[in-house]
Amino acid sequence: MNVMKIYKLLLLSALPALGLLSSCEDMDENYKQYEVEDVYSGKVLNLTARVGFESAILSWDNPQDQISKGIEIVVVGNDTVSYSFDFATLTPSTPDLVIYEADSIRINNLNQGTAYEMTVYTVDAYGNRSIDVMVPVMPLSQEAYDAIVPPICAGTIDGNGNTAINFQGLTSLSFNFAGTINYQVFDGETLYAEGVATAETVDDDGDEILVNTLVAAVPGLKPDKQYKVKFETDVLPLSGNTPIEDTVTLLSESNLFVSISGISGLDYTMGDGWVEVSYQQPKNELAKTILVTSEAFPTGKLELPNTADSEGGSFRVDGLTANQAVKFTVARVDENGKASDAMSIDATPATQAQLNTITNPTLSISKDILGYMTLNASNFGDNDQFKTKGDADDKTNLKFIIEDEAGNEVFNDVITFPVGEGSFSLGLSQLDTEATYTVKYEFECYPKINGRTSEDSFVLRRAHTIENGSISAGSPIDSIE
């Protein structure tokens, strides 16, 4: 075989190998991008934001990896600002960043009065960022703070009778009360009193208590004199319906007056020709006397003592024989002779004249199956016009007499029934259905007037006429003998 032929054979044998080599080089190029593995730090989870005063509080869950070395936070408002720290030292990159934990921080000085977008990244040792996680937040700005309407106050009397300040509007649609008020009271330009008023805003179970008013005693204030009150109220402004994380202080100034408070609970009891009017007088250090005005008094008025610790009183008026209401007007008076708001009541005594207007009890006549008369009685017991009086056995004793036209008794008996029960039937077979008779009775009762029951009993006497098988309405009589 000659040399040329050998060369051709070698050349032909080498071509497939060259092709295989070229193909391998192309495959290496295709997979070259996978020779270096890129592993990123994990993103944060459960990112939340809470509102503060010109600040925001962020919290999240850090990833559980070995690559994340720190946190970077990019805050976009009118400007874009970046904050960062590393997990090893927890050192903030700026004084506006406050680090509580590796997964909880506060950013201060957010005073642009705008909404912010806050994006949190983890970063690796080379500063490479993870996938971003963003949350919006609208901090309370100074402008929004200045627009809050602060609480007010007014003069009052506290539960111990002291002159006091009543702080009002401590909770509103803009804020919740945070529990503390610092106040100063001025008499002109002179500081008269100062103090701190507090209230619990969380109950024993940790639930929030919304406090709207708070009373602080300032003893010795004079009635109807103007004082000036300056006070600072700690509140938690609301972001939507949620209190922000920061307590802020609202400044208020009010003019203060205290005045005597009136009586309350005006009521009365009554009996035979008398009424006793009672009242409640909440403790009040300004009240000196009780003034009662009424035509029932010879002079038209009655003055009664009042003390700061007195809680109730009464007065009685006797000799009221007319069947009509008597008006009483009651007020309290301070040391300067100025009266409180007054209360009035119309009090009606129990009298014989009133007893004579009672329409109960009622009597009617019916016939039994044999045609004899039956007397039917009702409303002898307890009803809306009187309450029957019972004996020692709690029985009502009704003295009952029937006379004919000549005045002869055809029936005389005492009918007894339980107090409160007042209906019965009485067979009158001995009476002539064509004749005329007079029915008389008496019993003791307590009259009722305007929903009140007399404390004295009266003897109610009535006379009825039976004629032509029917009975007339009762008429008052002085005696049944």
Side-chain angles (χ1 to χ4, degrees):
M1 182 178 297
N2 59 34
V3 174
M4 183 60 67
K5 187 173 181 180
I6 293 172
Y7 174 78
K8 288 181 178 180
L9 288 174
L10 290 173
L11 182 60
L12 289 173
S13 298
L15 285 176
L18 288 173
L20 180 61
L21 179 61
S22 175
S23 176
C24 289
E25 288 178 352
D26 289 343
M27 290 177 64
D28 289 343
E29 188 66 29
N30 288 337
Y31 287 94
K32 189 176 182 180
Q33 58 180 313
Y34 299 107
E35 288 181 352
V36 179
E37 180 181 8
D38 291 330
V39 180
Y40 298 94
S41 60
K43 69 176 183 179
V44 302
L45 301 174
N46 303 318
L47 175 63
T48 60
R50 303 191 304 278
V51 173
F53 178 63
E54 295 192 336
S55 65
I57 298 89
L58 303 183
S59 59
W60 61 83
D61 295 330
N62 282 317
Q64 300 298 314
D65 60 27
Q66 301 299 316
I67 298 175
S68 302
K69 301 301 181 183
I71 293 292
E72 182 178 358
I73 305 159
V74 177
V75 177
V76 179
N78 294 337
D79 301 315
T80 300
V81 182
S82 180
Y83 307 83
S84 62
F85 65 91
D86 61 82
F87 294 146
T89 65
L90 298 182
T91 301
S93 61
T94 168
D96 288 336
L97 176 63
V98 178
I99 301 171
Y100 301 133
E101 302 285 348
D103 54 5
S104 178
I105 59 95
R106 177 192 286 263
I107 300 175
N108 292 320
N109 201 27
L110 301 176
N111 55 15
Q112 297 177 9
T114 185
Y116 292 83
E117 289 185 356
M118 300 191 172
T119 304
V120 179
Y121 307 88
T122 64
V123 293
D124 62 17
Y126 304 102
N128 297 311
R129 295 173 172 174
S130 68
I131 296 174
D132 61 296
V133 181
M134 189 275 289
V135 65
V137 63
M138 181 73 177
L140 177 70
S141 65
Q142 183 66 44
E143 181 181 9
Y145 166 82
D146 293 338
I148 295 175
V149 178
I152 60 174
C153 74
T156 190
I157 304 295
D158 70 9
N160 294 317
N162 300 308
T163 54
I165 308 172
N166 184 13
F167 298 102
Q168 304 169 16
L170 303 182
T171 292
S172 73
L173 296 177
S174 301
F175 55 82
N176 292 344
F177 182 47
T180 303
I181 300 174
N182 290 278
Y183 63 88
Q184 294 179 313
V185 182
F186 293 87
D187 183 354
E189 298 302 317
T190 303
L191 179 64
Y192 178 83
E194 61 183 342
V196 179
T198 61
E200 294 294 331
T201 58
V202 177
D203 63 19
D204 294 339
D205 296 326
D207 296 325
E208 185 178 27
I209 303 172
L210 295 180
V211 178
N212 192 50
T213 62
L214 183 59
V215 173
V218 185
L221 298 177
K222 298 299 182 180
D224 298 315
K225 180 178 180 179
Q226 178 174 300
Y227 297 87
K228 181 169 62 178
V229 181
K230 295 181 179 180
F231 59 101
E232 301 175 347
T233 308
D234 291 342
V235 301
L236 291 166
L238 300 179
S239 175
N241 294 322
T242 304
I244 71 170
E245 294 297 309
D246 297 329
T247 299
V248 302
T249 300
L250 301 180
L251 307 181
S252 304
E253 183 174 318
S254 297
N255 291 326
L256 180 72
F257 297 87
V258 292
S259 59
I260 185 172
S261 58
I263 59 95
S264 62
L266 195 61
D267 202 355
Y268 75 93
T269 57
M270 53 84 176
D272 187 1
W274 60 266
V275 295
E276 183 170 343
V277 178
S278 61
Y279 50 85
Q280 294 296 313
Q281 43 184 346
K283 296 178 181 179
N284 189 326
E285 65 174 298
L286 303 179
K288 302 305 178 184
T289 59
I290 299 290
L291 178 64
V292 185
T293 56
S294 174
E295 293 181 354
F297 306 126
T299 61
K301 65 180 181 179
L302 173 68
E303 286 194 68
L304 302 170
N306 181 93
T307 59
D309 60 353
S310 179
E311 295 186 350
S314 65
F315 58 90
R316 174 169 166 151
V317 182
D318 294 290
L320 303 174
T321 58
N323 181 28
Q324 62 184 25
V326 181
K327 184 174 184 178
F328 297 93
T329 301
V330 186
R332 297 206 287 192
V333 180
D334 66 22
E335 62 184 15
N336 299 321
K338 185 168 182 178
S340 68
D341 292 337
M343 290 188 69
S344 296
I345 193 168
D346 292 328
T348 305
T351 63
Q352 187 64 47
Q354 188 275 335
L355 192 72
N356 292 339
T357 65
I358 290 176
T359 58
N360 285 337
T362 56
L363 299 179
S364 63
I365 296 292
S366 64
K367 292 184 180 181
D368 62 19
I369 58 174
L370 300 177
Y372 297 118
M373 284 192 294
T374 299
L375 179 68
N376 304 301
S378 60
N379 292 323
F380 271 92
D382 193 4
N383 56 75
D384 61 352
Q385 296 183 4
F386 58 78
K387 175 183 178 182
T388 52
K389 182 179 179 179
D391 59 15
D393 296 322
D394 208 23
K395 302 288 186 180
T396 296
N397 298 306
L398 172 65
K399 189 174 182 181
F400 207 86
I401 296 174
I402 301 177
E403 298 174 347
D404 61 18
E405 283 187 284
N408 300 312
E409 289 185 0
V410 296
F411 183 89
N412 187 335
D413 199 0
V414 175
I415 300 174
T416 301
F417 49 86
V419 170
E421 296 182 15
S423 297
F424 60 89
S425 295
L426 183 64
L428 301 176
S429 60
Q430 70 273 41
L431 300 187
D432 184 350
T433 57
E434 303 297 326
T436 299
Y437 299 93
T438 299
V439 177
K440 300 177 183 180
Y441 57 82
E442 69 177 20
F443 63 98
E444 287 190 83
C445 69
Y446 300 94
K448 295 182 179 180
I449 307 171
N450 299 327
R452 295 170 174 83
T453 302
S454 170
E455 296 191 2
D456 296 325
S457 64
F458 289 71
V459 177
L460 190 150
R461 299 181 180 92
R462 289 286 188 272
H464 300 253
T465 299
I466 298 177
E467 189 173 13
N468 298 323
S470 62
I471 190 167
S472 67
S475 300
I477 55 176
D478 295 331
S479 172
I480 66 170
E481 297 298 335

